[in-house]
Amino acid sequence: MVHQFPANSFGRSPNHLDHINSMARAKSARRGVPLSKRARRIERHQRLPFVPPENWYEPREDGEGFTILVQSPGNGFRHVVTPDEVRARLAELPKRFVEPLETLQFSRMTRKKQSFPCYGMQWGSAVYLYPIEECLEETYSAPPKPSQINEARMFGGRWVHEPDGSWKLVWTERAVKDFYLNNILIHELGHLLDDRNSRSVD
């Protein structure tokens, strides 16, 4: 499956947010995010100070494995996988694929983060996983693209067109765990392993 990646306004470096998720969709109008994407795209204004949305973890480069940090998911949200499930999934991969990972943070959803909602992010040697709605139903103001419908279907997500014109992406417990463990987690780890491309467009 080929995904279209929007280009960031600054290159890959220790001070760079490199994050593209696989399902870009318009987020709910109830959050005031018209045509936003469930994918992090930070535009940096060169004349203003850069305020990152996450904690920066200085790379240790000591080969001592990774640490998992868990933040409270935030009111109305939940983490859909556990640290043990993440560790078990990563343990199935070749060791060399996990070696660059030093920190994996289960992040808290805040009001600011809701303005650019996402499932995951990679920054430096860290991967961040974000919570979703407690009810496992995400509401969007714009219809999904065919590729987004197909991708959700691959992992058991179900799109529903509501009478008011909005769209819901409905997950079951099993489906959303599969989506996070076998798509989001692996996708973000892939960004961490990518030493060939210096720009998101690459």
Side-chain angles (χ1 to χ4, degrees):
M1 183 174 298
V2 178
H3 304 291
Q4 297 298 317
F5 299 142
N8 282 323
S9 57
F10 47 104
R12 181 187 295 270
S13 73
N15 294 316
H16 158 66
L17 288 178
D18 178 25
H19 156 246
I20 299 295
N21 272 316
S22 48
M23 297 183 73
R25 297 180 294 270
K27 201 55 182 167
S28 171
R30 65 184 166 78
R31 291 190 183 176
V33 191
L35 300 180
S36 178
K37 293 181 177 181
R38 185 72 153 166
R40 182 66 55 85
R41 182 186 181 191
I42 304 300
E43 296 293 346
R44 183 175 182 180
H45 193 301
Q46 298 298 331
R47 295 184 180 181
L48 297 176
F50 175 55
V51 181
E54 283 296 348
N55 298 327
W56 166 255
Y57 299 102
E58 194 68 32
R60 303 185 310 269
E61 298 181 348
D62 57 10
E64 293 298 317
F66 62 92
T67 301
I68 294 182
L69 305 174
V70 181
Q71 297 179 348
S72 171
N75 187 37
F77 292 86
R78 57 175 289 197
H79 295 303
V80 296
V81 293
T82 68
D84 286 343
E85 289 170 332
V86 167
R87 287 188 185 278
R89 182 65 185 94
L90 294 178
E92 297 175 14
L93 302 178
K95 185 177 180 181
R96 69 181 185 278
F97 288 176
V98 185
E99 281 179 350
L101 178 64
E102 296 183 357
T103 305
L104 194 148
Q105 177 177 296
F106 286 70
S107 292
R108 176 180 177 82
M109 184 62 71
T110 64
R111 181 173 298 179
K112 181 179 179 181
K113 291 175 186 175
Q114 288 181 44
S115 67
F116 39 88
C118 62
Y119 295 112
M121 181 177 77
Q122 175 265 325
W123 189 20
S125 61
V127 165
Y128 306 79
L129 296 179
Y130 289 88
I132 68 170
E133 288 79 352
E134 283 182 327
C135 62
L136 301 184
E137 294 183 359
E138 304 174 67
T139 305
Y140 296 86
S141 57
K145 296 178 181 178
S147 61
Q148 296 160 353
I149 293 175
N150 291 337
E151 184 166 20
R153 185 185 295 124
M154 283 174 54
F155 292 92
R158 181 170 56 90
W159 284 96
V160 178
H161 194 191
E162 296 291 285
D164 64 0
S166 66
W167 289 80
K168 281 188 177 181
L169 177 52
V170 181
W171 298 98
T172 65
E173 188 77 28
R174 180 176 180 179
V176 78
K177 283 182 181 290
D178 184 23
F179 179 63
Y180 267 75
L181 293 173
N182 296 308
N183 189 355
I184 301 305
L185 177 63
I186 304 304
H187 185 97
E188 300 304 337
L189 187 63
H191 282 302
L192 179 56
L193 293 167
D194 183 9
D195 58 5
R196 299 174 303 170
N197 301 309
S198 60
R199 304 174 303 156
S200 294
V201 67
D202 294 334

